[in-house]
Amino acid sequence: MANSGLWVGILTALTALGASYITARATFRAARAQAETTTRAEALREERERRRSAYREMMSCVHAFNVVTWQIDDVDAARDRDSKGRLLTQMYERVGPAIGDMNRAMHEVRLDGPAAVSDAADHVRNMARLVQQRLNALLGDDSPERRDAYDAAYRDFREAYVTFIGLARGALEVKGK
């Protein structure tokens, strides 16, 4: 009988040790899962903030470019050819640095991605270059055909920019599981 008490004690001790081991493993797994979830959430938050900053900078550079291109209304309102030429020259001189800033911002977007947004930013920059070329063509020839080409290039630029905004917004959306 004393022998069976010893076995009951041993079995009780082993059961307690087993339960303790199982509880410890479950606690460890839960803590590890929580740490991984927290780390992943923090990494996603940082990625989102980096992207938001890059996209915002790109948008700011596009706005600065637009400020220059919107001066075409002043060119249209100018009364004489010399005034128009002077305003077009000023626009052309200012549009280059604006594209340079846009180029720098586009490379930031390229680093932070995703690829679709990066490609869209690159397309915006390329369309801005086309607007610059059409503006340069207006310097020597302000014919209706040249002006129509400028307006068409600007519309294409604007469409590319709207596409970029949509893709950037989509990339910043928080997606739940």
Side-chain angles (χ1 to χ4, degrees), residues 131-146:
V131 171
Q132 180 186 31
Q133 290 170 1
R134 299 299 183 258
L135 178 62
N136 188 33
L138 279 175
L139 286 171
D141 179 5
D142 62 349
S143 67
E145 295 80 23
R146 297 275 187 194

Side-chain angles (χ1 to χ4, degrees), residues 110-165:
R110 182 175 286 161
L111 287 174
D112 287 316
V117 178
S118 173
D119 292 345
D122 192 33
H123 187 60
V124 169
R125 190 256 333 251
N126 289 337
M127 291 296 99
R129 287 178 174 165
L130 185 60
V131 171
Q132 180 186 31
Q133 290 170 1
R134 299 299 183 258
L135 178 62
N136 188 33
L138 279 175
L139 286 171
D141 179 5
D142 62 349
S143 67
E145 295 80 23
R146 297 275 187 194
R147 178 55 193 269
D148 289 345
Y150 173 85
D151 290 342
Y154 183 79
R155 281 191 302 274
D156 292 343
F157 163 77
R158 187 77 183 145
E159 183 179 314
Y161 180 53
V162 168
T163 300
F164 166 77
I165 291 172

Side-chain angles (χ1 to χ4, degrees), residues 38 40-50:
T38 301
R40 188 173 30 250
E42 183 62 30
L44 288 173
R45 186 174 22 261
E46 288 175 11
E47 177 184 80
R48 186 171 186 261
E49 287 307 312
R50 273 192 327 272

Side-chain angles (χ1 to χ4, degrees), residues 63-131:
H63 179 74
F65 176 82
N66 278 329
V67 167
V68 175
T69 58
W70 292 333
Q71 291 176 333
I72 197 74
D73 293 336
D74 296 338
V75 172
D76 291 340
R79 295 182 184 184
D80 58 65
R81 188 175 178 92
D82 289 339
S83 296
K84 286 183 180 192
R86 188 173 50 259
L87 289 170
L88 284 170
T89 300
Q90 289 172 354
M91 283 178 64
Y92 187 75
E93 289 170 353
R94 291 181 60 212
V95 83
I99 292 174
D101 291 343
M102 194 184 310
N103 188 51
R104 180 187 41 76
M106 184 273 307
H107 288 296
E108 289 295 320
V109 172
R110 182 175 286 161
L111 287 174
D112 287 316
V117 178
S118 173
D119 292 345
D122 192 33
H123 187 60
V124 169
R125 190 256 333 251
N126 289 337
M127 291 296 99
R129 287 178 174 165
L130 185 60
V131 171

